[in-house]
Amino acid sequence: MKKHNYSAGPCILPQEVFEKSAQAILNFNNSGLSLLEISHRSDDFVAVIEEARALVIELLGLEGKGYKALFLSGGASLEFLMIPYNLMKENGKAAYLDTGTWASGAIKEAKIFGETVVVASSKDKNYNYIPKGYSIPADADYFHCTSNNTIFGTQMKEFPSVDIPLVCDMSSDIFSRTLDFSKFDIIYAGAQKNMGPAGTTLVVIKEEVLGKTGRTIPSMLDYEKHIKAESMYNTPPVFPIYASLLTLQWLKKLGGIAAIEKLNNAKAALLYAEIDRNPLFRGSAVAEDRSTMNVTFLLNNEAHTPIFDAMWAEAGISGLSGHRSVGGYRASMYNALPLESVQVLVDVMKALESKV
Ligand SMILES: *Cc1c(COP(=O)(O)O)cnc(C)c1O
């Protein structure tokens, strides 16, 4: 039986994506060849990457606005250094918001390149909230933030208006909610949280922000070179890109981001309502900053842990344990997780209440 998969990433994908991508490995487009053995320069694969890049721009509402989508390798973690390489001027400076482990990972890399101003941090409370009311230096080369903090279960509901390039790590909530994506100059996301399998990173770039640093950038780390090569500067990760395309097609068929946002809001409302109602549990993020993607919560009485763990495992739930830096539980409810899976978890939480 298929499990209710709450894994934080790599994560659940639509069942039809698993089926179609498995088929493509055996016989791609009825070509008598596997997706894995054809040239990335073949017409069949060029059509895949072109459609994937175009669908990204379409779903984000960025058509005709000067943006390009790239499918790169190296994970979101490589973007931590590609961002300063491509945007921070020699002797320039960058501004960052520190909202968690991934944000501080990005800050660490930026410091290698130049002055890195941390405008605010929620580290004082183990990142259980999103700082607000900070000011961003107007002379910074860019401002970097993390829209959703996968580990701590917080999510930015609003983004600052700035006159400098706005860069956002959207790894764990891209395509999950409607936003004015044209506010951002660079958006990046490792595929494996909400778009596809691990192995490719989506980078969406407003082209006009590039080429201003005066730095010599190694070719593989240069966004301009990747854009010029149509995201095929070198052999791209063909399988993750193909599976990502299938997920994007699935999302479009469903009605796009606006449609999935409704479902995601319903899932989050259902689970948070139970966390707040059930006297055995409490949420770990402050209410106003709660993530709709990664829901972090704790048992009030640690002694209930083995009973609860056995109950959810018995109900066919997988991947619910919290990150080691927070403890407790983390229910990652990415786009492909159905509402029924959330109901199963809520029913287990209720059953625990009547059992202990
Ligand atoms: C998982 C994650 C990353 C790291 O992604 P990799 O692809 O493993 O490098 C970065 N940022 C956020 C917000 C994440 O959730």
Side-chain angles (χ1 to χ4, degrees), residues 8-9 74-80 101-103 146-151 169-173 188-193 198-201 294 330 334:
S77 301
L78 187 62
E79 303 316 309
F80 293 171
T101 307
W102 298 117
T146 310
S147 56
N148 185 70
N149 298 284
T150 326
I151 293 174
D169 175 358
M170 292 195 189
S171 291
S172 51
D173 69 351
Y188 63 92
Q192 71 277 13
K193 303 281 169 44
T200 190
T201 313
N294 310 96
R330 171 171 52 167
Y334 297 114

